[in-house]
Every structure is written in structure tokens, then in C-alpha cells.
């Protein structure tokens, strides 16, 4: 409690000068861009826009798993919602119902692990698993991201 | 039967089969796309197919509006402010309109709904919700900012269309129970009670 208070006292004046919160938002968006870059590789293969290469698919899937094991705690620092920071698209609901929002991240983690099991092997299996990962993206965007 | 009709009112074929089929197919496809968009599976393939069907239907309606049978043509239900104002003035009268086609107010609703659906399917084609599985087929043709605007518009318009459909259904109920005019049966069977002489 005291730590939180101290943290709040330290952070509050800094926020007014628009620094760490913006940096956090940028870092958070960077995280999802990384996730997206790897999703993009697999999606292009799924759509036939590029050849299905086992090694590249496996690498992309492994990267996604790696990213989903990343501890996002600091990227969801309080004070970085769309209501507070211009350019942020993270709805305040994330903080208001953190446990629910956390479940979406868990779903992504699970879907990513299934994806990495099949990526690099049968393409149809990879596409199914990729759709589940995309579904996890969608389900969180629908609830917690500003349009 | 005919003897019971009020003076000057006759039973006429108003809605051709193509238009009726269009109407009910559109109702099914728009409802289907809407429900799938909100309650459907994360993989929205079926939503996309309903959307493509709506595009085809809208294309048909535009062609039908230009070269179709009389009452289906846009020129048949394009009214000026005067005619529209006169129609509105008599809207509170508790009697059937006996209008031979889309009345001036209904015509406004038709144009608005068709326009809204065109915007909606257009936005859908360019939409990209960043999930890598439900990307609009033309999303790659425009930049990211445009994708985002299209997605934003598509999500907003869904509510606008729900409101317009609600208004449409309310109007049908208003005519049915307040003005005692059945507009549903003519859209199924094609025949409608109409009055040609509007000099009263």
C-alpha cells in the first residue's frame, strides 16, 4: 500500500509532463506490432500470398509463443488507457475488469502454443491453428480496443 | 370482394417478382450478416459471404431502379419537397394510403437504407480489424489509416443500419395498426390496394 502511494506520488507529476505513459503506450503498441509482423507471415502463407515454408512458419509461430510468454504487466501501467493518453487505443475497461481482460491474453497464449505444435507441418492444420490465434486477437479487440 | 373496395380503390399488381425476391433475400442477408458480425464465430467467413450477397443484391436493385418495371424504378418514387410535405401532412389520418408503390416518405427510407447498405458493404471491403483472419478483400489496396477508418465506419454503421431496420419495421406496424393498411402481403404476393386518383 505504501509502495503504491509512493509510486503514485512519484508517477503523478511525471504524467502531467507527458513522458513515461506515452513511452509505455508506444512500447505496448510496439509489442503488438511484433506480434502482428509474425502473424502477417503466417497469414500470407495461409492465403497463398507467399509459399508455405516450414522453417519460416515454425520461426514465426515460435516468435508468437515467445511474445505471449512476455510479461505484459509493465505495458499495462495504470494511466495509459485511451481515456488518458492520446493515441492509446486500450479501453479503460482493461483496467476496470483486469481479470476478464487477462483471460483474453491467456486464450492467446493457449492458441499460440497449439499453433507452434503444427506450424511447419501440414498447411491445413497450420491454417486452423492460425485462425484460432486470430480469433484470440479479435476477441480482445472487440472488447478492449478502441476502433 | 371487389364490391367491398372503397370508391376509386383497385387491386393492382405493384411489386414484380424480382423486386419481391430482392426484398426478402436482402432482409435475410442483412440480418444474417448483422447477427454473424455480432454473435458469430471468430472466423467470419460466413459473414463475408452474406456481405458479398448484399453487394450482388444492391447491384441488382440499382439496375432494377433504372430499367426495372414501373414501381421499382427510382424515377417512380422520386418526389419533390412539396409532394413529400403533403404526404406527411396526411400521415396522421387514420386511413390507408393506398399508395401505388413507395410513398414519398417511404421512398426516403428506401434511398437511405440502400445508401447506408452501400456504405456498409463498401467499408467492409476495406476493413482490417488486425486479427489476420477477417481482413476485407480490398484492404490491401489502401493504407493502414484508411483500413482503420473503414473498420471504424463499419462498426458504427452496423448500429445505424439496425436503427434504420427498426424504423422500417415500426413504419410497417404503424401502417398496419394505426392506418390499417397491410404492406407486408403486397411485398409477398405483389398485389396491393391502390388509389390512382389522388385529387381528394
Amino acid at each position: 500500500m505504501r509502495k503504491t502511494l509512493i509510486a503514485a506520488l512519484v508517477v503523478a507529476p511525471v504524467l502531467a509532463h507527458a513522458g513515461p505513459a506515452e513511452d509505455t503506450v508506444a512500447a505496448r503498441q510496439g509489442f503488438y506490432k511484433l506480434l502482428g509482423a509474425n502473424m502477417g507471415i503466417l497469414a500470407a502463407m495461409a492465403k497463398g500470398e507467399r509459399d508455405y515454408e516450414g522453417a519460416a512458419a515454425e520461426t514465426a509461430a515460435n516468435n508468437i509463443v515467445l511474445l505471449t510468454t512476455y510479461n505484459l504487466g509493465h505495458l499495462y501501467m495504470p494511466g495509459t488507457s485511451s481515456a488518458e493518453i492520446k493515441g492509446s487505443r486500450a479501453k479503460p475497461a482493461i483496467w476496470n475488469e483486469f481479470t476478464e481482460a487477462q483471460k483474453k491474453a491467456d486464450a492467446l497464449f493457449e492458441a499460440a502454443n497449439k499453433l507452434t505444435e503444427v506450424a511447419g507441418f501440414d498447411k491445413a492444420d497450420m491454417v486452423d491453428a492460425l485462425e484460432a490465434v486470430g480469433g484470440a486477437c479479435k476477441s480482445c479487440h472487440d472488447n478492449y480496443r478502441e476502433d | 370482394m371487389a364490391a367491398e373496395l372503397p370508391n376509386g380503390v383497385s387491386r393492382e399488381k405493384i411489386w414484380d417478382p424480382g423486386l419481391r425476391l430482392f426484398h426478402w433475400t436482402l432482409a435475410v442477408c442483412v440480418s444474417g450478416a448483422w447477427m454473424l458480425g455480432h454473435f458469430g464465430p471468430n472466423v467470419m467467413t460466413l459473414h463475408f459471404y452474406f456481405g458479398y450477397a448484399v453487394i450482388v443484391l444492391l447491384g441488382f436493385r440499382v439496375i432494377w431502379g433504372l430499367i426495372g418495371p414501373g414501381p421499382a424504378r427510382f424515377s417512380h418514387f422520386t418526389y419533390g419537397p412539396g409532394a413529400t410535405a403533403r404526404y406527411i401532412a396526411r400521415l396522421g389520418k387514420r386511413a390507408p394510403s393506398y399508395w401505388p408503390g413507395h410513398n414519398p416518405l417511404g421512398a426516403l427510407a428506401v434511398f437511405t437504407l440502400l445508401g447506408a447498405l452501400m456504405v456498409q458493404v463498401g467499408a467492409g471491403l476495406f476493413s482490417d480489424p488486425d486479427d489476420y483472419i477477417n481482413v476485407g478483400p480490398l484492404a490491401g489496396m489502401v493504407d493502414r489509416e484508411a483500413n482503420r477508418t473503414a473498420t471504424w465506419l463499419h462498426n458504427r454503421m452496423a448500429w445505424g443500419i439496425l436503427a434504420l431496420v427498426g424504423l422500417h419495421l415500426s413504419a410497417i406496424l404503424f401502417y398496419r395498426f394505426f392506418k390499417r393498411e397491410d404492406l407486408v402481403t403486397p411485398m409477398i404476393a405483389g398485389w396491393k390496394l391502390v388509389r390512382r386518383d389522388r385529387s381528394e
Side-chain angles (χ1 to χ4, degrees):
Chain A
M1 185 64 199
R2 211 169 70 189
K3 266 186 187 165
T4 318
L5 268 178
I6 292 168
L9 288 172
V10 172
V11 169
V14 180
L15 280 183
H17 294 289
E22 277 81 359
D23 289 346
T24 299
V25 170
R28 185 167 67 215
Q29 291 177 347
F31 170 84
Y32 289 105
K33 280 209 167 67
L34 270 183
L35 205 50
N38 287 283
M39 283 297 283
I41 293 168
L42 293 167
M45 289 182 187
K47 288 179 195 160
E49 288 166 5
R50 64 178 275 184
D51 293 337
Y52 183 53
E53 297 166 64
E58 208 178 333
T59 303
N62 288 344
N63 282 343
I64 291 169
V65 169
L66 183 67
L67 288 166
T68 58
T69 55
Y70 184 90
N71 189 317
L72 291 171
H74 73 107
L75 294 182
Y76 282 93
M77 179 174 90
T80 57
S81 76
S82 57
E84 292 149 316
I85 301 296
K86 195 169 171 278
S88 168
R89 294 170 73 183
K91 287 187 180 172
I94 296 170
W95 289 269
N96 297 337
E97 38 187 275
F98 206 79
T99 326
E100 284 302 304
Q102 186 68 46
K103 282 184 194 153
K104 306 286 184 190
D106 295 344
L108 175 64
F109 175 77
E110 277 173 38
N113 276 289
K114 284 190 184 129
L115 174 65
T116 204
E117 284 169 21
V118 294
F121 303 106
D122 184 60
K123 185 177 164 181
D125 290 345
M126 186 280 278
V127 172
D128 285 347
L130 181 70
E131 286 181 341
V133 177
C137 299
K138 177 188 188 301
S139 137
C140 197
H141 292 175
D142 284 353
N143 291 282
Y144 297 117
R145 191 175 74 152
E146 301 284 357
D147 281 328
Chain B
M1 176 77 193
E4 292 168 20
L5 292 179
N7 248 350
V9 173
S10 57
R11 195 164 169 270
E12 286 184 33
K13 192 93 180 180
I14 294 294
W15 305 122
D16 66 88
L19 187 123
R20 283 179 276 147
L21 192 63
F22 158 82
H23 173 269
W24 295 109
T25 317
L26 187 72
V28 168
C29 290
V30 169
S31 309
W34 201 98
M35 299 298 276
L36 284 163
H38 288 262
F39 309 109
N42 281 334
V43 181
M44 301 178 75
T45 313
L46 207 52
H47 172 87
F48 277 55
Y49 288 153
F50 274 110
Y52 299 147
V54 171
I55 293 174
V56 172
L57 288 165
L58 291 172
F60 166 81
R61 188 64 188 90
V62 169
I63 294 168
W64 223 231
L66 297 173
I67 61 162
R73 290 201 188 185
F74 298 137
S75 58
H76 191 274
F77 53 93
T78 306
Y79 297 95
T84 310
R86 277 195 299 280
Y87 186 83
I88 292 171
R90 285 199 296 186
L91 195 61
K93 210 175 138 194
R94 199 142 191 195
S97 70
Y98 294 125
W99 203 273
H102 293 305
N103 67 63
L105 204 54
L108 284 180
V110 169
F111 285 124
T112 309
L113 196 47
L114 290 177
L117 288 174
M118 283 177 191
V119 171
Q120 184 65 336
V121 290
L125 291 174
F126 293 98
S127 163
D128 182 354
D130 294 319
D131 58 14
Y132 298 88
I133 53 172
N134 301 311
V135 182
L138 304 183
M141 291 174 61
V142 294
D143 64 22
R144 301 288 301 141
E145 202 51 42
N147 289 150
R148 200 178 146 184
T149 307
T151 311
W152 181 89
L153 188 62
H154 198 66
N155 291 341
R156 293 298 168 292
M157 282 298 291
W159 299 107
I161 286 165
L162 182 71
L164 287 171
V165 169
L167 183 68
H168 176 59
L169 296 177
S170 307
I172 298 296
L173 291 174
F174 170 75
Y175 276 85
R176 175 68 183 79
F177 294 106
F178 182 79
K179 290 178 81 69
R180 303 197 175 102
E181 182 169 30
D182 173 15
L183 299 178
V184 178
T185 308
M187 194 45 86
I188 296 170
W191 296 87
K192 189 180 186 301
L193 296 182
V194 301
R195 176 181 278 134
R196 288 289 170 188
D197 171 25
R198 310 213 69 85
S199 57
E200 47 141 349

